[in-house]
Amino acid sequence: MNPSLHNTVTTRLLQDYEFKKVNDDLRRGVCPSCGKKELHTRAAKPWVLRCGRLDKCGWEGHIKELYPDLFEDWSKNHPVTPQDPNAAADAYLRDGRGFDLDKIKGWYSQESYWNPELNLGSATVRFALPGIGYWERIIDRPHRFGKRKATFNGKYQGTWWQPPTLVLTDQEELWITEGIFDAIALLHVGIAAVSTLSCSNYPAAALTALAEQKPLGRPRLVFAYDTGKAGEEFTRAFVERATREGWEATAAQPPAGRTKLDWNELLQRDRLTEKNLDDYRYFGRLLLAKTPSEKGTLIYSRHGWSSFPFDHDFRLYWWKLDVEKLNKIEEALEEAHPERSTDENREQALMQSNTVMEICNCLPQPLYYLKNEVTDEAWYYFRISFPHDGKPVKNTFSAGQLSAAAEFKKRLLHSAAGAIWTGAAGQLDRLLSRWTYNIKTVETIDYIGYSLEHKAYVFGEVAVQGDRVVEINDEDYFDLGKLAIKSLSKSLRLDINLDTKASAAGWFDRLYLCFGPRGVISLAAWFGSLFAEQIRHRFESFPFVEIVGEPGSGKTTLLETLWKLVGRAGYEGFDPLKGSQVGFMRTMAQVSNLPVVLIESDREEEGDGSKGRPKQAFHWDSLKSLYNGGSLRTTGVKSSGNDTYDPQFRAALFISQNAAVQASLPIMERIVHLWFDKSRQSEAGREAALELGRMPAKDVSAFLLRAVTKEAAVLGLMEERLRTYERQIAAAGSRNQRIQKNHAQLMVLVDALSLACPVTASQQTEAKALLLELALQREQSLQKDHPIVEAFWEAFEYLDGTDDEGFGTSRLNHSADESLIAVNLNHFVAVAAEKRQQIPLLSDLKRLLKSSREPKFIEANRAVASAINRRHNTHAHADSQRPLTVRCWIFEARKR
């Protein structure tokens, strides 16, 4: 490890794990798995951190996994000079691979790779393949190139790469590995090794050439491919083929533990000692065992257990030794065959005195442990494989289903067709202790999208962390360096195109043709929803966006197109009045940093209840806290304590309907209002709209990944320009700071759109000018009263002209003070009914009159000495007297 890297790593270790320096070691660090101060590593070479609690924890971590940022950009940290043309390659092999450069000097060179499609390049470490070409490894942030980690030049089938200094004819044993780095790692511990570059490449030509060079005394072949289905299948096939061709062949396997390690990684963890290598040869013999009995006997010979479970050919078996029978057979064999050795007789006796019983006709394998910390639910995630060609099935098992044989049998059969457990409870207990010991834990979220806690986007088949795009692995979780995570949500599936360069030609131009600058603003808000959590975290709020307009103005086409950009086809939104309250809240909580669209939330038809049906209206005030990412609802957690579950709103709210939202002032201030009409409609626009409708989501959903990988740039623009645009809106005449902030945020997002789609500078300028205009219009419109309040005062003025007795005084104003208006709402309703005036519902009036500005609301339900009733009582008979005190709503009188 070079001094600069060593200093950086040591500083981080002391800070992150609280190590203490003890002689030549770092000790008493805090283990990230068990939390105990048992972590230790070597101070001079702190490559691997280990927990000292081997029986109870045994956690192990390599600094490449703990600090991946130190092992990514080799060219930047180690620039090439004329004196050192291999600077980055040397550093990569020394610090990234743990190799002694003196052992491999002259075997490689530093070259470069360029991908014209991605417009990206990287330095490479190149190894020559004499007579064929070369193989090279990409070393600078290889995740940028997707699945491509290396490049080949030439056809290498049938041959291998061998170290230039290795003389194969001098070897008694030759290990055959998959990768070049694996072969080099074995050479570091004195093992002669070559690389076939792929586990599917049988080195027929190379073996033929070696046999010709050394016809007698051929070396023993050890196929040492990686663990996993492909490596294991080709190992068995190649050992069998090599044996048929006259070679002595066997296998070695890396340990198949919680973390799969190749030979190079084992070297870096100091796990290629003689004892380790003996274990790996034993694993190879287990892999090659042809029958369950043979494999069970190998395990017994290694460990001495009298009974144990094991798997063979994707089935579970139980091996049991009859000790008494073993002794009797061994004695009989010694008498019958005294010429045989003790080991030969014992091996023969073992084969005759053990029993092997199938306990499961498939192979359940625990992959990891999942837990929802909020609800205290937990599961073990299993892969169930079959001896036939059926596809493996993955499913969860609860603790109760694993700890009872009957429940396990039912769950297994439910999860996979034909999967049957026939073992006993004790056998399951033995397996369970093995399955759950030191099992990997994967963190969970119960939604899809962005996790603020983990700083990563988690979608169905892909996750994004920073600029790194990671596909879900074979075990159905995302491996993001230190973080292993998956979503528990199954309700929403997005069809995301992983090729960030893919884009349906002209989709943005069609969108602009149909919807103009309002379409650009809608797209910017949609784009901004992908960063709603971060924006709320840094800037406290993210605006609600209202897309409303005339029927037939294209709102549905616009929304369905926007949904396709994030991989959801044939969807517009959901109507909150069509489901239960619980269903509504769960829908709102399903996603993070994705839009939630409420459609047709207000019913215009029969809205006054005049046809005998109750008016339906959505109560927008209930969503006020969502502007700041507040809680959606509170429910109790099923436990004996007082724990509650408060899911937060992590999405961005969009509203789409024909009529504009009518709500209280605080809600209206939170909404950016976009009105669409038919003024831009044309024949060309109609064709463009039809093409947008036919466009598959897969063709344009790369927009999502292009956007979220620009997270840092978007938030940087928000920091840089938000206050500038707020001041610009204020200078234009706006006084409402919330309106300024909402529209300024969208102006920044219009600027940021160029990071993800081909918007032009003139289109951005046009959209920002419209946002400035919309901000001023919004502020002006909010200075007016709610339409229901305006309707009330219109009816009031009409009905208030003449009192009941015709004295020319107020008919509805009970106040004797001319500066006040006092209205008894029941009295108002009665007079309106008498005059057959259609008025708003009393419940709506009580809800909205408090927002009245002209005249200004003062107080509700104040006891007032009624001037109207006093005049009435003066002229009325004693039996028709009215109460002198009436409860009224009080307003300031309009200035004449």
Side-chain angles (χ1 to χ4, degrees):
M1 184 180 291
N2 73 23
S4 176
L5 178 62
H6 181 268
N7 291 336
T8 302
V9 168
T10 302
T11 300
R12 290 197 186 184
L13 291 177
L14 293 173
Q15 178 180 344
D16 296 345
Y17 298 97
E18 303 176 20
F19 278 108
K20 307 296 181 186
K21 287 188 176 181
V22 181
N23 298 326
D24 294 331
D25 289 337
L26 295 178
R27 294 192 171 275
R28 295 198 289 276
V30 178
C31 175
S33 178
C34 65
K36 304 295 182 181
K37 291 188 175 182
E38 295 284 348
L39 205 62
H40 62 88
T41 187
R42 289 184 293 175
K45 296 181 178 180
W47 289 110
V48 183
L49 280 59
R50 292 187 175 92
C51 180
R53 304 172 75 232
L54 298 180
D55 294 334
K56 296 183 178 180
C57 178
W59 181 85
E60 181 179 276
H62 196 280
I63 59 169
K64 283 174 62 178
E65 301 164 357
L66 302 175
Y67 304 118
D69 58 299
L70 301 178
F71 301 90
E72 289 188 340
D73 212 335
W74 298 95
S75 296
K76 178 180 178 182
N77 297 327
H78 304 276
V80 168
T81 64
Q83 297 76 26
D84 193 359
N86 290 340
D90 288 347
Y92 173 78
L93 293 171
R94 179 188 62 237
D95 299 330
R97 291 289 173 173
F99 295 149
D100 181 349
L101 297 185
D102 290 336
K103 292 181 181 292
I104 58 175
K105 187 175 182 180
W107 294 7
Y108 62 90
S109 63
Q110 180 172 330
E111 306 294 341
S112 62
Y113 166 76
W114 179 260
N115 187 315
E117 295 180 0
L118 298 175
N119 198 31
L120 294 173
S122 168
T124 64
V125 178
R126 180 178 294 181
F127 290 83
L129 302 175
I132 298 172
Y134 61 81
W135 173 89
E136 62 182 356
R137 173 77 183 203
I138 297 170
I139 64 175
D140 293 329
R141 292 180 292 158
H143 64 267
R144 297 176 299 158
F145 301 92
K147 294 182 178 180
R148 179 183 290 274
K149 298 295 186 292
T151 62
F152 291 91
N153 180 273
K155 296 183 179 181
Y156 61 88
Q157 285 75 16
T159 187
W160 58 39
W161 173 88
Q162 69 181 68
T165 58
L166 183 66
V167 181
L168 298 183
T169 54
D170 294 343
Q171 310 304 319
E172 295 183 0
E173 184 176 80
L174 180 64
W175 286 44
I176 301 174
T177 68
E178 182 174 341
I180 289 178
F181 295 144
D182 292 324
I184 294 175
L186 292 170
L187 288 166
H188 274 63
V189 293
I191 295 176
V194 294
S195 164
T196 58
L197 304 171
S198 167
C199 67
S200 61
N201 175 34
Y202 181 75
L207 287 173
T208 300
L210 179 58
E212 291 173 353
Q213 294 176 45
K214 191 176 183 182
L216 299 177
R218 296 180 181 182
R220 180 173 58 256
L221 304 181
V222 180
F223 285 88
Y225 291 153
D226 295 342
T227 56
K229 183 178 180 181
E232 293 171 5
E233 287 182 353
F234 283 113
T235 295
R236 283 191 287 260
F238 290 174
V239 167
E240 184 176 344
R241 178 175 173 179
T243 303
R244 287 198 310 268
E245 294 175 357
W247 297 87
E248 182 186 352
T250 184
Q253 281 271 286
R258 189 174 83 177
T259 303
K260 293 182 179 180
L261 302 173
D262 59 27
W263 302 110
N264 182 205
E265 291 164 332
L266 290 170
L267 173 70
Q268 292 176 289
R269 287 163 171 78
D270 297 323
R271 289 169 62 181
L272 287 181
T273 64
E274 281 299 322
K275 182 183 181 306
N276 295 139
L277 291 169
D278 182 54
D279 289 338
Y280 307 151
R281 292 175 186 272
Y282 162 66
F283 298 150
R285 291 195 297 273
L286 291 180
L287 177 65
L288 299 178
K290 295 186 180 301
T291 66
S293 180
E294 180 185 348
K295 187 170 184 179
T297 302
L298 283 170
I299 296 172
Y300 170 78
S301 301
R302 185 78 173 183
H303 300 286
W305 303 324
S306 60
S307 62
F308 52 86
F310 69 98
D311 67 273
H312 180 76
D313 192 25
F314 299 107
R315 297 175 188 263
L316 277 176
Y317 294 90
W318 186 266
W319 192 93
K320 185 176 181 180
L321 176 67
D322 187 332
V323 179
E324 184 177 345
K325 186 177 180 180
L326 171 67
N327 293 331
K328 288 181 179 180
I329 295 176
E330 193 170 5
E331 289 175 3
L333 289 174
E334 287 177 355
E335 292 178 2
H337 303 282
E339 74 281 2
R340 292 181 182 173
S341 67
T342 302
D343 289 342
E344 288 177 323
N345 286 329
R346 186 167 183 81
E347 183 177 350
Q348 185 69 27
L350 272 174
M351 297 299 293
Q352 298 179 34
S353 58
N354 71 74
T355 57
V356 178
M357 176 188 1
E358 182 185 295
I359 58 175
C360 191
N361 68 347
C362 58
L363 178 60
Q365 294 174 289
L367 301 178
Y368 45 86
Y369 174 74
L370 299 166
K371 186 172 184 180
N372 187 326
E373 293 291 346
V374 177
T375 62
D376 198 35
E377 296 173 289
W379 309 268
Y380 291 87
Y381 198 69
F382 273 70
R383 177 173 57 220
I384 304 165
S385 306
F386 304 93
H388 53 72
D389 59 357
K391 187 177 180 181
V393 173
K394 283 169 272 194
N395 211 340
T396 56
F397 287 73
S398 68
Q401 291 163 343
L402 286 176
S403 56
E407 293 300 315
F408 178 72
K409 183 174 184 176
K410 286 191 288 186
R411 180 61 176 171
L412 186 65
L413 188 57
H414 170 81
S415 300
I420 301 176
W421 166 265
T422 54
Q427 293 168 337
L428 179 61
D429 289 341
R430 183 80 172 269
L431 278 166
L432 186 59
S433 65
R434 178 193 298 178
W435 283 344
T436 58
Y437 174 74
N438 199 25
I439 191 170
K440 182 182 183 68
T441 297
V442 173
E443 298 191 44
T444 65
I445 56 176
D446 59 359
Y447 51 87
I448 70 164
Y450 185 75
S451 171
L452 190 61
E453 177 185 357
H454 301 104
K455 294 181 171 54
Y457 290 84
V458 179
F459 302 110
E461 301 297 324
V462 65
V464 178
Q465 191 176 55
D467 63 348
R468 182 185 178 197
V469 178
V470 178
E471 293 183 59
I472 199 165
N473 62 19
D474 292 338
E475 297 183 357
D476 293 345
Y477 71 90
F478 297 102
D479 190 354
L480 302 173
K482 296 182 190 178
L483 176 64
I485 192 171
K486 72 180 298 182
S487 172
L488 299 175
S489 176
K490 297 180 180 179
S491 300
L492 179 61
R493 289 288 180 268
L494 302 179
D495 188 11
I496 302 172
N497 191 332
L498 302 183
D499 181 4
T500 55
K501 293 296 181 180
S503 179
W507 70 265
F508 177 79
D509 293 335
R510 298 187 191 106
L511 184 76
Y512 185 79
L513 176 61
C514 293
F515 304 104
R518 281 177 166 78
V520 174
I521 295 171
S522 301
L523 177 60
W526 202 265
F527 171 80
S529 73
L530 304 177
F531 312 98
E533 278 282 79
Q534 298 96 310
I535 292 173
R536 279 193 288 257
H537 181 67
R538 294 194 189 185
F539 306 100
E540 299 179 347
S541 64
F542 189 80
F544 301 159
V545 179
E546 181 182 26
I547 297 175
V548 296
E550 303 172 2
S553 57
K555 300 185 298 297
T556 297
T557 299
L558 173 62
L559 285 170
E560 289 187 350
T561 300
L562 294 176
W563 274 118
K564 290 177 184 179
L565 296 178
V566 296
R568 194 171 189 180
Y571 182 76
E572 182 181 1
F574 75 100
D575 186 340
L577 296 177
K578 286 185 177 178
S580 67
Q581 182 69 9
V582 172
F584 168 72
M585 290 302 179
R586 288 190 177 184
T587 302
M588 299 287 282
Q590 279 178 351
V591 297
S592 173
N593 276 12
L594 283 170
V596 169
V597 182
L598 306 185
I599 58 173
E600 305 305 334
S601 305
D602 284 330
R603 301 292 191 262
E604 293 183 287
E605 66 277 6
E606 303 162 10
D608 59 356
S610 60
K611 296 186 179 180
R613 299 176 184 174
K615 177 185 176 182
Q616 286 185 294
F618 184 74
H619 297 294
W620 296 106
D621 282 5
S622 64
L623 304 182
K624 185 166 64 175
S625 66
L626 306 190
Y627 179 73
N628 306 100
S631 173
L632 287 166
R633 62 177 179 141
T634 300
T635 57
V637 174
K638 188 179 180 181
S639 69
S640 58
N642 295 322
D643 294 332
T644 57
Y645 178 44
D646 299 275
Q648 302 297 300
F649 181 68
R650 303 179 180 90
L653 183 64
F654 286 73
I655 303 159
S656 176
Q657 52 193 28
N658 293 332
V661 170
Q662 298 296 340
S664 64
L665 183 62
I667 284 291
M668 301 296 280
E669 287 180 344
R670 287 163 164 78
I671 297 175
V672 172
H673 176 81
L674 292 172
W675 174 264
F676 288 82
D677 55 30
K678 300 178 182 178
S679 60
R680 291 186 62 90
Q681 293 188 354
S682 64
E683 187 60 30
R686 182 182 180 185
E687 291 300 320
L690 290 173
E691 291 173 357
L692 289 174
R694 290 191 293 263
M695 180 177 63
K698 191 73 172 180
D699 287 357
V700 292
S701 58
F703 171 89
L704 175 64
L705 296 185
R706 283 200 302 273
V708 298
T709 52
K710 301 298 190 298
E711 174 189 357
V714 172
L715 297 179
L717 284 175
M718 192 66 72
E719 291 276 7
E720 176 188 336
R721 302 182 185 181
L722 179 61
R723 286 294 296 132
T724 300
Y725 286 138
E726 287 178 345
R727 294 188 187 101
Q728 183 177 332
I729 295 172
S734 172
R735 297 292 175 266
N736 188 305
Q737 293 185 1
R738 185 172 286 156
I739 291 177
Q740 293 171 17
K741 183 177 184 180
N742 291 341
H743 291 76
Q745 284 185 345
L746 292 192
M747 292 171 79
V748 177
L749 293 171
V750 168
D751 287 340
L753 262 185
S754 57
L755 297 171
C757 68
V759 60
T760 66
S762 62
Q763 290 168 339
Q764 290 174 310
T765 301
E766 185 183 19
K768 288 187 288 185
L770 177 58
L771 276 167
L772 178 61
E773 181 182 338
L774 292 175
L776 300 178
Q777 290 177 0
R778 190 64 171 172
E779 186 157 351
Q780 185 177 5
S781 68
L782 294 186
Q783 292 173 357
K784 299 179 181 179
D785 281 327
H786 192 283
I788 289 179
V789 176
E790 290 182 345
F792 168 81
W793 287 115
E794 287 177 8
F796 180 88
E797 289 182 359
Y798 173 76
L799 298 170
D800 193 44
T802 306
D803 71 0
D804 295 337
E805 287 78 17
F807 293 115
T809 55
S810 176
R811 185 176 192 180
L812 295 174
N813 185 4
H814 290 265
S815 176
D817 185 347
E818 293 184 357
S819 65
L820 299 175
I821 298 174
V823 185
N824 180 276
L825 294 183
N826 296 97
H827 181 206
F828 169 80
V829 171
V831 173
E834 177 186 334
K835 296 296 184 180
R836 300 188 180 185
Q837 291 295 301
Q838 194 172 29
I839 61 170
L841 289 175
L842 187 59
S843 59
D844 287 343
L845 288 176
K846 289 181 177 180
R847 178 167 54 88
L848 295 172
L849 278 177
K850 294 179 181 179
S851 65
S852 178
R853 294 186 176 190
E854 182 60 32
K856 184 179 179 181
F857 168 78
I858 298 176
E859 185 179 351
N861 289 329
R862 179 197 291 181
V864 173
S866 172
I868 294 175
N869 289 358
R870 186 178 66 250
R871 289 194 303 271
H872 172 83
N873 292 345
T874 302
H875 301 92
H877 294 290
D879 57 351
S880 61
Q881 295 289 303
R882 297 177 181 174
L884 293 177
T885 301
V886 178
R887 289 204 165 270
C888 296
W889 287 56
I890 310 302
F891 304 85
E892 287 184 0
R894 284 191 172 100
K895 295 178 181 179
R896 301 292 181 182

